[in-house]
């Protein structure tokens, strides 16, 4: 079954940023919109590589269709090891590549596009929206308050040039007085002749986002510093908080442990309440070998039971005999059902890279965190965890050392301060539950988004 043009004339083109974890939250938002506005067509436009894994998602409604555009990599080009190269090549294709996807969608559906929703990183989509004279709605998947850092990039660069101090507070940004220059993404500070197209794109937000009909936040307003929210609202036409786009709140109950093929839940069943150290760095981050060694040494010396998501090929980096010596109280698997693991009563702390999806899952389950940020918004997210929500700590010195991690583990799992963090983590979890409920702002803001999309 398909929707014919005679049934409706609303057609939303959706542009994905086809890298990392960005496609999933955008698709989840579109899924919600497609169910809320069943007579509106949604054309999800990404690269073949980014779209392919999404085809297998269950229950895709028939008012969503997928279209592929070029990834920007020239034929025969050999990519280097730096991931930003692929991003720059994609952005270099400009709005014409995006236009190709829009042309495909219009030719296939026979319905003109009436609105454009895009990952905020795909800034050239604004040009198409202006050309068609339709609303442009960028979606911000990273940590919400990191938007302020990109909004004020040029101002921050001037301040840093004047003071030249990495440990300087960002107290000149509304609501971000607890943040420090060292927490900022590299793209904020690094500029000059070698500045990448991606960095220039991020630095343009102060000019382009005020032109958006609405900016959608992958977050709950109730968790953000009020001064940050007030400042951003004063600069944007509309800022809509729609909640965590990768999670359904409240979280579903844990499945039966025997249904978990990884064996993680069954193993956790045998551990004491809030005793287990869970370690995972997502799908794109791998700590350097010396940090993996330090992490293993700290886990072994601590004696705490641990569950570690670690790819098989990295086991060879671990200290000789580590696997055998810790087999009684440690479990290492290449993949973990993370949301379920974090929801298990035996997990006491999450050692994480501070990727947004991971932090949102930890928050939603009330689990304290030990943060080792790596890139992007990780540093700002870690600062939120430690100094705004006070539900965890950033690793001492910014990198894993045996003594530094031991100190953090004992702080959270043994000391009184850790018990206070656990209580605050449970309080933040309740804030999320309330914010996602019928009286929370996320429901109101989502309804506003539906109204914008369906009435354009």
């Amino acid at each position: 079954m398909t929707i014919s043009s005679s049934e409706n004339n609303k057609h939303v083109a959706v542009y994905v940023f086809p890298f990392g974890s960005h496609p999933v939250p955008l698709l989840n938002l579109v899924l919600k919109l497609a169910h809320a506005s069943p007579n509106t067509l949604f054309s999800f436009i990404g690269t073949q590589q980014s779209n392919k894994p999404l085809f297998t998602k269950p229950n895709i409604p028939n008012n969503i269709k997928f279209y592929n555009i070029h990834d920007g990599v020239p034929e025969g080009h050999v990519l280097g090891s730096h991931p930003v190269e692929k991003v720059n090549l994609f952005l270099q294709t400009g709005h014409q590549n995006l236009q190709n996807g829009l042309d495909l969608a219009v030719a296939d559906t026979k319905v003109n596009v009436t609105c454009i929703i895009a990952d905020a990183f795909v800034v050239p989509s604004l040009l198409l929206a202006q050309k068609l004279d339709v609303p442009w709605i960028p979606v911000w998947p990273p940590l919400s308050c990191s938007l302020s850092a990109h909004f004020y990039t040029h101002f921050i660069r001037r301040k840093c040039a004047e003071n030249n101090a990495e440990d300087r507070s960002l107290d000149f940004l509304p609501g971000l007085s607890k943040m420090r220059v060292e927490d900022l993404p590299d793209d904020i500070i690094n500029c000059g002749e070698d500045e990448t197209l991606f960095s220039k794109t991020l630095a343009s937000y102060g000019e382009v986002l005020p032109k958006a009909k609405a900016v959608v936040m992958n977050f709950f307003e109730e968790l953000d510093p009020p001064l940050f929210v007030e400042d951003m609202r004063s600069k944007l036409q509309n800022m809509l908080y729609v909640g965590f786009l990768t999670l359904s709140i409240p979280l579903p109950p844990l499945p039966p442990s025997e249904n978990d093929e990884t064996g993680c839940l069954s193993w956790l069943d045998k551990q004491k309440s809030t005793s287990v150290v869970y370690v995972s760095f997502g799908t794109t981050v791998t700590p350097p070998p010396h940090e993996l060694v330090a992490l293993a040494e700290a886990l072994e010396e601590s004696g705490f039971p641990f569950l570690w998501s670690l790819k098989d090929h990295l086991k060879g980096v671990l200290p000789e005999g580590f696997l055998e010596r810790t087999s009684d109280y440690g479990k290492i698997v290449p993949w973990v059902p993370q949301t379920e693991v974090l929801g298990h009563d035996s997990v006491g702390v999450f050692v994480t890279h501070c990727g947004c999806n991971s932090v949102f899952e930890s928050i939603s389950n009330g689990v304290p965190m030990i943060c080792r940020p790596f890139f992007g918004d990780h540093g700002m997210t870690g600062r939120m965890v430690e100094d705004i929500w006070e539900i965890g700590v950033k690793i001492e010195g910014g990198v894993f050392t045996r003594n530094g991690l031991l100190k953090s583990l004992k702080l959270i799992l043994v000391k009184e301060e850790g018990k206070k963090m656990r209580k605050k983590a449970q309080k933040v979890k309740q804030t999320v539950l309330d914010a996602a409920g019928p009286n929370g702002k996320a429901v109101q803001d989502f309804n506003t988004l539906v109204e914008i999309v369906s009435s354009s």
Side-chain angles (χ1 to χ4, degrees):
M1 173 186 169
T2 57
I3 300 175
S4 69
S5 58
S6 62
E7 290 176 309
N8 202 284
N9 60 355
K10 302 300 179 185
H11 182 187
V12 181
V14 182
Y15 288 103
V16 67
F17 183 68
F19 304 101
S21 59
H22 280 245
V24 174
L26 189 62
L27 178 59
N28 286 350
L29 175 64
V30 173
L31 286 168
K32 289 182 67 175
L33 288 170
H35 287 294
S37 185
N39 292 322
T40 299
L41 291 166
F42 294 88
S43 293
F44 198 85
I45 302 169
T47 64
Q48 184 175 7
Q49 186 176 6
S50 69
N51 277 342
K52 189 175 180 181
L54 306 178
F55 291 152
T56 59
K57 232 177 145 59
N59 304 319
I60 299 285
N62 56 32
N63 56 332
I64 297 178
K65 297 199 72 173
F66 292 83
Y67 300 93
N68 296 334
I69 55 176
H70 197 254
D71 61 6
V73 180
E75 189 173 348
H77 178 81
V78 179
L79 289 166
S81 59
H82 203 296
V84 174
E85 181 186 3
K86 288 194 291 186
V87 174
N88 288 324
L89 288 172
F90 175 74
L91 291 175
Q92 281 171 13
T93 64
H95 73 277
Q96 184 55 54
N97 190 27
L98 306 183
Q99 179 73 56
N100 295 340
L102 188 146
D103 292 342
L104 282 172
V106 171
D108 186 39
T109 62
K110 308 294 190 295
V111 182
N112 288 330
V113 167
T114 56
C115 179
I116 290 179
I117 294 176
D119 188 303
F121 285 20
V122 191
V123 169
S125 58
L126 169 61
L127 295 176
L128 293 186
Q130 291 174 327
K131 180 181 176 182
L132 295 173
D133 193 23
V134 300
W136 180 59
I137 305 175
V139 180
W140 187 250
L143 178 75
S144 52
C145 70
S146 67
L147 178 60
S148 181
H150 293 294
F151 209 95
Y152 287 107
T153 294
H154 300 298
F155 182 54
I156 293 170
R157 287 173 178 172
R158 285 199 302 272
K159 284 282 189 181
C160 288
E162 293 168 5
N163 295 279
N164 196 28
E166 283 196 4
D167 64 346
R168 177 185 167 85
S169 164
L170 298 180
D171 53 7
F172 50 86
L173 299 185
L176 302 187
S177 61
K178 296 288 182 70
M179 297 283 175
R180 311 198 70 78
V181 171
E182 67 186 42
D183 302 326
L184 293 170
D186 289 341
D187 291 291
I188 302 292
I189 305 302
N190 298 335
C191 57
E193 293 182 3
D194 296 329
E195 187 176 12
T196 66
L197 177 58
F198 182 46
S199 178
K200 291 176 181 177
T201 298
L202 296 175
S204 72
Y205 286 138
E207 298 173 12
V208 301
L209 290 184
K211 300 175 183 178
K213 180 72 173 178
V215 177
V216 178
M217 311 299 280
N218 173 31
F219 206 61
F220 291 102
E221 180 179 336
E222 291 86 343
L223 293 177
D224 258 339
L227 286 177
F228 158 75
V229 178
E230 180 183 343
D231 180 55
M232 285 294 102
R233 286 202 190 283
S234 72
K235 292 172 170 55
L236 303 172
Q237 294 184 43
N238 229 328
M239 183 164 69
L240 304 176
Y241 283 86
V242 297
F244 298 154
L245 292 173
T246 51
L247 295 171
S248 177
I249 307 292
L251 297 173
L254 292 184
S257 296
E258 58 268 21
N259 292 355
D260 170 28
E261 295 180 358
T262 68
C264 293
L265 297 183
S266 298
W267 183 83
L268 288 169
D269 287 343
K270 301 171 185 175
Q271 312 305 321
K272 294 179 181 178
S273 176
T274 63
S275 67
V276 173
V277 181
Y278 169 51
V279 184
S280 177
F281 305 106
T283 56
T284 59
V285 169
T286 302
H290 69 278
E291 290 195 56
L292 289 175
V293 169
L295 203 162
E297 289 174 345
L299 290 173
E300 182 175 0
E301 187 171 335
S302 76
F304 295 125
F306 66 86
L307 173 62
W308 190 351
S309 176
L310 183 71
K311 296 288 186 287
D312 287 335
H313 72 276
L314 293 171
K315 289 181 179 178
V317 175
L318 303 178
E320 187 176 352
F322 169 79
L323 296 175
E324 293 76 18
R325 292 191 302 272
T326 60
S327 60
D328 288 342
Y329 58 94
K331 183 176 178 64
I332 297 182
V333 292
W335 183 85
V336 165
Q338 182 161 287
T339 306
E340 288 82 1
V341 163
L342 288 169
H344 199 287
D345 176 67
S346 67
V347 173
V349 64
F350 179 19
V351 181
T352 174
H353 64 303
C354 286
C356 273
N357 292 342
S358 291
V359 171
F360 296 168
E361 289 171 357
S362 201
I363 284 175
S364 300
N365 284 293
V367 177
M369 286 166 269
I370 296 173
C371 305
R372 193 312 194 185
F374 283 85
F375 57 79
D377 64 343
H378 294 175
M380 297 187 76
T381 306
R383 187 68 66 187
M384 290 288 285
V385 168
E386 183 175 65
D387 290 334
I388 305 296
W389 303 318
E390 298 179 334
I391 57 174
V393 294
K394 293 179 74 173
I395 196 72
E396 190 178 70
V399 298
F400 286 121
T401 62
R402 183 186 62 183
N403 291 338
L405 182 54
L406 266 174
K407 180 179 176 181
S408 296
L409 289 172
K410 290 176 181 177
L411 173 72
I412 291 181
L413 293 176
V414 178
K415 294 189 176 180
E416 191 63 31
E417 188 176 345
K419 295 177 183 177
K420 292 178 181 177
M421 283 184 192
R422 191 172 314 285
K423 288 181 179 178
K424 288 182 178 179
Q426 289 298 318
K427 187 176 180 180
V428 172
K429 174 184 175 181
Q430 188 58 51
T431 299
V432 168
L433 285 170
D434 294 341
N439 297 321
K441 294 179 181 177
V443 172
Q444 301 168 28
D445 281 3
F446 179 74
N447 289 338
T448 299
L449 178 61
V450 173
E451 178 64 24
I452 293 172
V453 166
S454 58
S455 64
S456 301

